[in-house]
Each structure stands twice: as structure tokens, then as C-alpha cells.
Amino acid sequence: MAFQSFHYVVFFLVIFGLVRGIFRDNHDAKKNCLLAASYYFYMCWDWRFAGLIFGITLINYIIGQKIADATDQPKKKAWLTLSLVSSLGILAYFKYTNFFIDSFNTLLTNLGVETSLPLLSIILPVGISFYTFQSISYSLDIYRGRLKPVSSLRDFSLFVAFFPQLVAGPIVRASHFLPQLEEGYKEEQKNPVESGVALIIRGFIKKIAIADVLAVHIVDPAFASPGDYSPWFLLIALYAYSYQVYMDFSGYTDIARGTARCLGFELQINFDRPYKATSIGDFWRRWHISMSSFFRDYLFYGLGGSKYGNVYANLFITFVAIGVWHGAGWNFVVYGICHASMIAYERWRMNRRKAAGLPPLEYTGLHWIWRVFWIFTLVSFTRVLFRGGSLDDAWLYVEAMTNFTNTHTPIGLVGGATLLIATALHYTPSKWTFEWKNIYCRMPSWLQAGVIVTTTYLVVAFSTGTAPFIYFQF
């Protein structure tokens, strides 16, 4: 059930009517409704996935209580290990089994062994990486003493399966979401429905009017046959893909946050103008914040961070894990290594300046503009590994970028204009975004309805089809 489908619109309106209307003053009925709706939403992808998500939910619900009840540290660690091994083992089976088999077959072939293990017919459950990490964060926080176990299985199940963010995040922490399920909790927003609708409108515009248009007019042709185009077109396509994936994923996040807000819940911000970053480290503090902070808090710090062990080894392990979290392929391994290498260099350079008594680097004026453009270019080039289906596909793309005899650069009006609009929107001051939301919230109801109808019409008119959100595959 895609967000941009008519099925979802009807589904959401029904749930909204029940939660904000019929069950408005019945807290338990509201939670029961949301839990049933979340499982229905997930089963619309494949009904068999319901058993999987419930299994992971039940494992971490029981183990969370066992960790809290354990009387000594070894027992707590044993229960935590069981949580991690079982949850990550399920994820590894569905997501990485065929990758391991294929890699093993390649290794045997290179060694001259004439054998080939068959690949398994495994369907990757949508959103499994997101709700698996969300579940184990609960067990990890209880183990670290940051969270007390929840007594209600229903509440924990709703935390794991809450449909707005179920299939593509943000990855929600239990300490942020579970308090919102308590009776008497007061919503953070003054106008939750109006501001939620404003977020949903913004998300659909990002997805359908920008991301999908960039894909059809620039990105997809370039990656489908890179040898047919000039290096300049391929370079522009890399920049366009960076904006496509940002507008697509942040658009999904806006819709998820807006939907949750309309239903009375607040999800965390997941992006902070990532292409304004002045370093690769700064980029990861702005990009997919819920995921990058998860790996920072639970893996990088768990390995020792910058205090214990070798900080560079810890960085490489963390970013390789980030890479393979995105997909089962050597291209994602190399993607993680590239980002780890760049951040390691930045840290080494920072430490050298500190040792020499020099202040941290600051960027202003033209120097800031150049630095931001340079970091954006580095990020965009690594995205060839992200967008390509394999290392071979990525290499073919890079190889085509060196063919300066090809001058075919078919940047059309629609694609070029959309890329410029995406760039302009990204670099506008953040306060303009909040001002648009405030203006919408202050509009009379009839004018808000007009904005919704007009936006819906424009989105449908400019829609290039029902392309799935990019992060659904993860």
C-alpha cells in the first residue's frame, strides 16, 4: 500500500476519522485501532510478513523484560546477546543469505573449484531493516539502563509496527515513542492536523513533482545506458540523483511525520539540509539522522568510539555496516569504505591541527560555497555505488565519464528546470519552511481545502507514474 495510492488515501481517512473522531476520548480503543491498522497496512504488502514482524516484536518484548529482571551483569549480557543474535539473524537470513552464497560461489570459481551452490528463493520483507533496528534499540537501551521495559505487549507492538514509519523510517527510539502512548500525554504541536497536512503536502511535492521527474528525465536514462551520453550529462545525472534520493526519502519522511502528527504522534526530524555540509562527517550528521545516530550510538560507541581501541578501525567497521545495511552487495561494502576513508582523513587532519595548536577550520563567504560544493560532489560521486546494481555497473558508469569524445548531452527543459528548482529549494533558509507551515495553519478552512485540492491536482498532472520510494528496498 504505497503512500501515493488511492488505497492509502482511503485507508488513512478512515483511520483518521476513527482516531480523531469516534475513539477520540477512548485511549485504549485508539491504540487498538492503530495497532490493527498498522498490521493491516503491513499485510497489504504480503500477509505472510505479519508473522515475521510479530515474531521480532515478541522476541524483544520478552527479552527486554528478562534483561531488566536479571540480577547480575553476565545474565543481562546473555539476554542481550540472545536479542541481537535472534533479531539480526532473522534480518541476515532474509537480506544477506543469497549475497553470501553468491560470494562463496565466486570465491570457489576463482580457486578453480567447479561447483555452484543454488541461490534460495527468498522474498525480502519490506521495511525489515527499519523495524529490526527499532526493536533491538529497545533491548539495548534497557541493557544500558536508559529505559524501563514496557508492561503492555500491545503498546510495544504498536511502537514496532506504527504504520506511518514502518517501511522506511525514521527509525524511532522507544524512549521517544512509548511515552506518547501513555494516557494524558499532551501533543507537542498547537495545530497538529493542519501542520501535519502541510508536511504531507510538502512530502508529495518532493516525491512526485521533483524526485520522480528527475528520475525520468535525467537519472534513469543515464544509468540505463551510460555509454550513450557525454561525461557532462553523466556528471549532471549524478548531481540529479543526489537530489532525487534526497527529495524521495525526505519526502517519504515528511509524509510519515505528517501522517503521524495528524494521528497525534510526533516523529523525529530525519534530514537537516544535508547538502549544506562542509565535511563528510557533517553530512552524516544531517543525512538520515535516525539511522546514522543509531549506528553512532549503538555500534561506534559500543566498539569504543574515539576513547577505546583504534578509532579508525571503529570508523571503518561502522561505515561498512552502514553500507551493507543499505543492501546486500559489494558495491555497498565499497560505499561504506569510501565514506569511512573520507571521515578518517578528516579526523586525522583535525587531530594534526589540534596538535599544532591551530583552531578548527571555519568556512565563510566564497570559501563556504566552494567547500559545500566540493563535499556535495564527493557525496554525489559515491552515489554511483549506491545507484548502480553492482560494482560492474558502477565501473561502467565511471568509465563512460572518461569518454570525452561523446558530446551527447540531452538536458531537456523539464529535467533541467526541475534540477534547478530542487537546488534552490534545498538552499533556501530553513526558516522559510517553517513560515510556510505557519501561513498554512493560519489559513481559514476553506482556503486550506483549496490548497489541498490544488496540490493534489498538480501532483497528479505532473506525476510520471507510481514509482516506489527508493528506501522501500532497504
Side-chain angles (χ1 to χ4, degrees), residues 413-469:
L413 177 62
V414 174
T418 304
L419 181 56
L420 290 175
I421 290 171
T423 305
L425 288 174
H426 185 74
Y427 290 101
T428 54
S430 299
K431 63 181 181 180
W432 289 12
T433 300
F434 295 109
E435 187 58 30
W436 134 252
K437 184 191 74 173
N438 293 333
I439 291 172
Y440 178 83
C441 291
R442 291 194 297 266
M443 288 179 180
S445 298
W446 64 268
L447 190 53
Q448 289 179 347
V451 171
I452 294 173
V453 171
T454 302
T455 302
T456 302
Y457 172 78
L458 292 175
V459 163
V460 172
F462 285 98
S463 175
T464 55
T466 55
F469 286 90

Side-chain angles (χ1 to χ4, degrees), residues 157-170:
S157 299
L158 182 54
F159 154 67
V160 175
F162 188 50
F163 75 86
Q165 48 74 226
L166 175 59
V167 296

Side-chain angles (χ1 to χ4, degrees), residues 1-3 5-12 15 35-51 53 123 125-126 161 163 166-167 472:
M1 192 196 305
F3 278 172
S5 68
F6 181 72
H7 186 184
Y8 179 80
V9 173
V10 174
F11 165 79
F12 170 68
I15 301 306
L35 180 58
S38 296
Y39 268 80
Y40 170 77
F41 174 83
Y42 197 55
M43 289 170 69
C44 284
W45 299 95
D46 190 320
W47 65 269
R48 294 170 295 180
F49 296 164
I53 191 172
I123 299 174
V126 64
F163 75 86
L166 175 59
V167 296
F472 276 14

Side-chain angles (χ1 to χ4, degrees), residues 177-194:
F177 189 84
L178 289 175
Q180 299 183 58
L181 295 176
E182 296 175 3
E183 192 164 7
Y185 176 82
K186 293 184 179 180
E187 296 180 42
E188 298 178 9
Q189 299 292 324
K190 293 181 179 178
N191 303 294
V193 175
E194 291 85 352

